[in-house]
Amino acid sequence: MSENTNLVSAGAEIAGRNKRYVVWFYLLNLVFAHFGASAFSDAAHNILDHSLNADKLLHGFNAGVFTELLTRPEFGALPAASHPAMMFAVVFLLASLLFMPGVLLGYASDHGLPRDEFYRVCGRNVWRFVRLFLFFTIIAGAIGGILFGALNALVTAADKTSNERLPFFTQLIGTGIIFLVLTVIRIWFDLAQTDVVLRDQPAVRKSVAAGFRKTRRNLARLLGSYVVIAIVALALLVGGILLWDTIVPPSSVLGAFIIGQATLLLLLAARFWQRATAVAFYTKEMAEPVVEETRPIPAFTAPIVP
């Protein structure tokens, strides 16, 4: 437990020293979210600005009014209103793949990373991170699909028994197991990404293999650290929701925005905390010492005396 605590605190120290990365990614996400929601916002404004039902959505949330809004002919097709949000979500994912190498190198540095070095390492590793993302998508998608399929089958079988609580506990335990398995995969590829950047490894398959070996050998320590941070993130989410429900009046759009965005910022910081923990583990456990090359010293051969 102390090793997990030390690793978590080391990651927190790294993330706290580089808070600017969290802020920049949050602002980038906020800008993309604004543009992604613009189509839906424009369609809603065209109806609600001339409707007496607007007050039911402005000072609270009425599910019936919202459903009626979506089905109005003048609202247009729902996919047209939601398409920009999906598009900008993909753009944010690509931006994350582009800028994350610089973040990892900044986390591993004991001094502020110069701007030109940040962008240089980002450009150098962008294609490598795309390949790592494809590896992650294939592996996590296949394993997640199998686990969710098995869970659905178990829940269906539990529904046919006479025990009324069995389906609930089956769903609860199965979801927890899936969470742990997917967290292990996330640790694996966080270490692989760190290895690609810090070793300047062009062959990403070697980094994937190295990340897998170290994850398997240090599974309890790494998983414990990530779970601790996930519990902190869950507590922040619950606290943000309770704070929103307690102190924000239904008519306060600004208050809801501030509490909601502060909660999202802290959740993003928790994810960066996990990445900083992976970097802290890598720099302590995975970095190989540099061995200086030395020329072999020829053995002394005594002359043959006739």
Side-chain angles (χ1 to χ4, degrees), residues 65-242:
V65 175
F66 183 73
T67 304
E68 181 184 356
L69 170 69
L70 299 180
T71 56
R72 293 281 292 271
E74 56 268 35
F75 184 83
L78 185 60
S82 60
H83 178 72
M86 296 297 298
M87 181 184 67
F88 278 99
V90 174
V91 172
F92 180 75
L93 172 62
L94 296 178
S96 300
L97 295 177
L98 174 62
F99 294 122
M100 191 53 64
V103 174
L104 296 179
L105 184 61
Y107 278 172
S109 303
D110 55 358
H111 58 277
L113 192 66
R115 186 176 302 175
D116 55 346
E117 180 67 13
F118 179 89
Y119 289 114
R120 184 196 66 82
V121 74
C122 289
R124 186 176 181 84
N125 289 280
V126 60
W127 177 236
R128 300 172 185 175
F129 268 53
V130 170
R131 285 181 284 167
L132 280 173
F133 176 73
L134 294 177
F135 272 113
F136 173 80
T137 302
I138 294 172
I139 295 174
I143 295 177
I146 294 173
L147 291 177
F148 278 109
L151 177 59
N152 290 333
L154 290 175
V155 172
T156 302
D159 283 333
K160 299 178 180 179
T161 63
S162 59
N163 191 336
E164 297 180 354
R165 295 183 296 176
L166 184 59
F168 170 75
F169 286 111
T170 302
Q171 183 75 41
L172 182 64
I173 295 174
T175 302
I177 293 174
I178 293 175
F179 166 75
L180 293 177
V181 172
L182 294 181
T183 301
V184 171
I185 298 176
R186 171 178 286 184
I187 295 170
W188 172 11
F189 280 89
D190 283 353
L191 292 178
Q193 289 181 347
T194 305
D195 184 78
V196 164
V197 174
L198 299 189
R199 288 187 192 273
D200 194 18
Q201 177 62 265
V204 297
R205 65 183 182 278
K206 295 182 179 179
S207 295
V208 172
F212 177 79
R213 288 194 300 268
K214 288 301 181 180
T215 301
R216 178 172 55 84
R217 295 172 185 173
N218 302 272
L219 181 59
R221 183 184 180 191
L222 289 168
L223 183 59
S225 301
Y226 269 58
V227 169
V228 167
I229 299 173
I231 293 174
V232 173
L234 179 61
L236 292 173
L237 177 61
V238 173
I241 294 174
L242 292 177

Side-chain angles (χ1 to χ4, degrees), residues 236-269:
L236 292 173
L237 177 61
V238 173
I241 294 174
L242 292 177
L243 195 63
W244 188 345
D245 183 65
T246 303
I247 69 172
V248 178
S251 59
S252 177
V253 178
L254 178 61
F257 176 81
I258 292 175
I259 296 297
Q261 292 303 312
T263 303
L264 293 178
L265 176 61
L266 293 175
L267 293 177
L268 182 64

